[in-house]
Amino acid sequence: MHFLPEEIDNYVVDHSQQEPKILQELSKETWQKVLNPRMLSGAFQGRVLSMISKLIQPTSILEIGTYTGYSALCLAEGMSSEGNIITIDKNEELETLQNKYFEKSGFRNQIQQRVGNAIKIIPTIDQKFDLVFIDADKSNYVNYFHLIIDKMNSGGIILSDNVLWSGKIVEELDPKDLDTKVLLAYNKLLNSDERIETVLLPIRDGLTISRVK
């Protein structure tokens, strides 16, 4: 999803930090072996996630939607030395690939993988978070927000991916399109909930940064 002219987009990428070699390898293997490789955060957005994490230096991170582990490793780059990441995904078939790169990264002992339905898993987590990244099934974004908002530390950051949804959020809504309908409600929620302050960035498919007051 590109909103900028291709020449400008290429210039932005060329003049931003390049992804580490391990993430290049993970990206390549994902495209070779895994269905829907476009679900990867990608090099540029990965550097954005890394930068945000480095600015926050979180001790506790929750990721909803692991996929092959690319974004988890980007977020881990800024994590404090005693920090930890809990990352949740429903697809158990991706665990082997995730583990391969978690081991290579040096963050293996700080990353906890949970396999299953995040709606059921999140309420069982007795922990407060400095940083949460939501990048799973769009139809549950509002539900995820309500589940994690009371688990956020003051000043904590909620990152939400794909909030522009290939531009569908400004097109005529198909009544059968549940994902877009929920994303419209979610974007409105983030902009109106008084517990947070929000900025929506037109990066790739849209990335929202919400800070908990």
Side-chain angles (χ1 to χ4, degrees):
M1 184 64 198
H2 298 280
F3 294 101
L4 294 174
E6 185 176 359
E7 297 85 355
I8 298 295
D9 192 79
N10 290 338
Y11 185 88
V12 168
V13 172
D14 290 342
H15 290 79
S16 297
Q17 185 72 32
Q18 301 301 298
E19 65 183 340
K21 183 179 179 181
I22 184 175
L23 293 179
Q24 294 176 19
E25 295 173 359
L26 173 54
S27 180
K28 182 178 180 180
E29 188 164 354
T30 299
W31 278 91
Q32 290 174 338
K33 299 180 178 179
V34 183
L35 291 174
N36 301 317
R38 289 175 61 85
M39 289 173 60
L40 274 175
S41 291
F44 177 69
Q45 184 167 319
R47 292 305 86 205
V48 173
L49 296 177
S50 172
M51 180 66 77
I52 292 172
S53 185
K54 287 173 180 176
L55 291 170
I56 300 169
Q57 296 185 314
T59 298
S60 52
I61 301 173
L62 173 65
E63 179 182 52
I64 306 172
T66 314
Y67 193 46
T68 57
Y70 189 101
S71 53
L73 291 179
C74 293
L75 296 171
E77 293 177 30
M79 181 171 55
S80 66
S81 58
E82 68 276 14
N84 77 293
I85 298 175
I86 297 174
T87 182
I88 306 170
D89 201 281
K90 64 181 181 181
N91 191 347
E92 62 184 17
E93 295 180 359
L94 295 176
E95 271 193 290
T96 300
L97 183 57
Q98 295 166 8
N99 276 316
K100 175 181 177 180
Y101 286 91
F102 290 166
E103 290 284 355
K104 293 177 69 172
S105 72
F107 294 114
R108 170 68 278 179
N109 293 334
Q110 293 172 276
I111 301 176
Q112 302 174 35
Q113 293 153 280
R114 304 284 183 90
V115 178
N117 186 339
I119 296 292
K120 296 180 179 179
I121 293 173
I122 294 171
T124 70
I125 301 174
D126 185 19
Q127 185 175 338
K128 292 272 191 175
F129 294 100
D130 301 314
L131 177 60
V132 172
F133 182 43
I134 302 175
D135 186 19
D137 53 319
K138 312 312 163 191
S139 60
N140 271 311
Y141 266 36
V142 171
N143 294 328
Y144 293 142
F145 176 83
H146 289 307
L147 286 173
I148 59 99
I149 187 62
D150 290 330
K151 294 181 180 291
M152 299 298 301
N153 287 318
S154 178
I157 298 295
I158 302 169
L159 301 175
S160 309
D161 199 14
N162 303 117
V163 290
L164 294 179
W165 206 224
S166 299
K168 292 180 182 179
I169 42 79
V170 293
E171 297 173 356
E172 184 176 353
L173 179 63
D174 180 345
K176 298 179 181 179
D177 187 351
L178 178 60
D179 287 341
T180 302
K181 182 178 180 180
V182 172
L183 281 173
L184 286 167
Y186 182 70
N187 290 340
K188 184 175 181 180
L189 171 63
L190 293 187
N191 196 41
S192 60
D193 194 300
E194 295 184 354
R195 294 170 292 183
I196 58 176
E197 48 191 340
T198 291
V199 175
L200 197 164
L201 304 178
I203 294 173
R204 291 303 190 263
D205 200 21
L207 179 70
T208 297
I209 303 177
S210 302
R211 178 183 178 275
V212 179
K213 297 179 181 178

